[in-house]
Amino acid sequence: MKVIGLIGGMSWESSLEYYRLINEGVKQRLGGLHSARVLMMSVDFHEIEVLQACGDWDGSARILCQAARDLEKGGAQMVLICTNTMHKVASQVQSAVTIPLIHIGDAVGQNINSRGVKKVGLLGTKFTMEQAFLKGYLQDKYHLDIIIPDEDSRQVVHDIIYKELCLGDIKPESRNAYVKIIEEMGRQGARGIILGCTEIPLLVRPEDVSLPLFDTTAMHCEKAVEFSLK
């Protein structure tokens, strides 16, 4: 079993889900008392958020690159960035180590393609919804037709992530707001919704909506387990 290296803490709420899902995945495949071989380097999300807000992505990259190097020195045989947004610096992180980076876009793109879905809505931080590091990756490599909410709705989605979900604050009214935004993307032709922020599955569940939900956290974890055990 290969050792899985996790760059977590962005937020630690969703990093908990990574640890849980990866261990559940190993147990399902191997049975008994088996659990995953995992190392986690958990960063201070406050430092990352400040750098995000001022557009200093190089500063964020330096922190994540050092975390990846520390994981490799500790014996990790692959590395995962446990957040969608910070895949903006995925190429820098990969270049900082010799072990493979398991890109969340590959986990998501392969899963959606296997289901035969082509047009999907994308929810996430404003960075993820508006910039190309994930959206363009999925469009170019996996030929997905991706739509995003309108500007006001993007702000709502973004604010709920940073002001509530990253703090572990789950509000029914915020779930209702997300459901309305998802329904609108369905009316625009989306045949599924990418939950492109690792905290969103803490709020929106499959039974809340009529469209299929593509949980990037779960898909990323599944990809890591597959790589660890093959």
Side-chain angles (χ1 to χ4, degrees), residues 3-8 10 18 22 39-41 64 67-68 71 76-83 87 93 97 99-104 107 216-225 227-228:
V3 179
I4 300 171
L6 302 176
I7 304 176
M10 302 169 284
Y18 267 84
I22 287 172
L39 291 175
M40 180 183 289
M41 177 60 67
L64 268 61
L71 287 168
Q77 293 166 280
M78 73 193 79
V79 62
L80 280 72
I81 302 172
C82 301
T83 162
H87 274 75
V93 173
V97 292
I99 56 177
L101 181 142
I102 309 299
H103 198 292
I104 202 167
T216 58
T217 303
M219 294 174 187
H220 205 194
C221 291
E222 182 179 5
K223 191 77 172 173
V225 171
F227 191 87
S228 176

Side-chain angles (χ1 to χ4, degrees), residues 2 17 31 39 69 84 95 99 119 139 141 145 148 167 185 200 217:
K2 297 182 182 69
E17 288 298 292
L39 291 175
R69 286 190 288 265
N84 287 267
S95 68
I99 56 177
K119 189 168 186 176
Q139 289 169 330
K141 190 169 182 179
D145 182 4
I148 60 174
L167 299 172
M185 286 195 286
I200 296 178
T217 303

Side-chain angles (χ1 to χ4, degrees), residues 14-39:
S14 62
S15 299
L16 282 172
E17 288 298 292
Y18 267 84
Y19 187 72
R20 179 181 67 82
L21 290 169
I22 287 172
N23 277 286
E24 286 181 352
V26 169
K27 182 179 179 180
Q28 287 169 3
R29 287 164 174 79
L30 299 183
L33 296 177
H34 284 289
S35 57
R37 299 178 67 200
V38 177
L39 291 175

